[in-house]
Amino acid sequence: MYQTLTFLHSMVRWLVLASLVYALFRAYRGYFSNRQYSAADDSVRHWAATIAHIQLILGILLYSRSPIISYFWKNFHTARADFELLFFGLIHISLMLMSIIIITIGSALSKRKETSREKFKIMLIWYGIALLIIFIAIPWPFSPLANRPYLR
């Protein structure tokens, strides 16, 4: 089950990134060209948040099954000295939870705004901040924090 969760979590990462980038593109285009907020824009907002929440569920399942995390919590005082264990045990999950909270707030605020321009602005700001945090928290192959392959 652990290998399956690792694979799914790695694959869904690309859906999260693509949906957020697309939502940001639509928000940017809508905001700066004074477009009307359409049902398609609302659908993109909704699905970007939904895909991020699916990834959160996969991440929490993976976190609860991971032997790395199990070792980290059983040997916390010694394991926290190893930055890669600290990254996956605390930093990665904390930053990702923060980004999901930001996405959720941005989605809810955007949905409740009156004008199209306000909706696009809220999406642009909140989803942009969340995407930046996600980029920092992903263990990219080139990351100095912790690295994993692009595909697992």
Side-chain angles (χ1 to χ4, degrees):
M1 178 160 182
Y2 175 71
Q3 293 300 330
T4 303
L5 286 172
T6 302
F7 173 77
L8 288 172
H9 191 64
S10 180
M11 292 296 112
V12 174
R13 151 184 54 172
W14 297 107
L15 293 175
V16 171
L17 293 174
S19 67
L20 284 174
V21 167
Y22 186 59
L24 284 169
F25 165 75
R26 289 189 70 107
Y28 178 86
R29 187 180 66 175
Y31 182 77
F32 287 105
S33 62
N34 291 319
R35 293 176 184 250
Q36 285 299 311
Y37 191 82
S38 68
D41 294 315
D42 194 54
S43 182
V44 168
R45 174 203 53 81
H46 170 77
W47 281 106
T50 300
I51 292 168
H53 284 93
I54 291 168
Q55 179 71 333
L56 173 66
I57 292 167
L58 288 171
I60 290 171
L61 288 171
L62 183 60
Y63 191 85
S64 69
R65 303 279 194 270
S66 172
I68 295 167
I69 303 306
S70 178
Y71 175 82
F72 176 77
W73 288 112
K74 286 178 183 168
N75 304 289
F76 180 75
H77 293 294
T78 55
R80 68 182 178 171
D82 181 344
F83 190 77
E84 190 161 323
L85 289 173
L86 182 65
F87 177 81
F88 286 107
L90 285 177
I91 296 169
H92 178 72
I93 193 165
S94 299
L95 290 176
M96 291 304 187
L97 282 170
M98 185 185 319
S99 68
I100 297 297
I101 291 167
I102 291 168
I103 289 168
T104 304
I105 292 170
S107 178
L109 289 175
S110 177
K111 183 169 53 172
R112 287 166 177 75
K113 291 296 179 182
E114 295 295 321
T115 68
S116 293
R117 191 159 170 84
E118 289 177 315
K119 290 176 185 277
F120 286 130
K121 182 180 177 183
I122 293 296
M123 266 179 62
L124 197 56
I125 292 169
W126 289 81
Y127 281 23
I129 292 168
L131 185 61
L132 179 64
I133 293 169
I134 288 169
F135 273 130
I136 291 168
I138 289 177
W140 298 104
F142 53 82
S143 174
L145 302 176
N147 52 48
R148 294 289 187 267
Y150 288 117
L151 300 171
R152 303 254 335 216

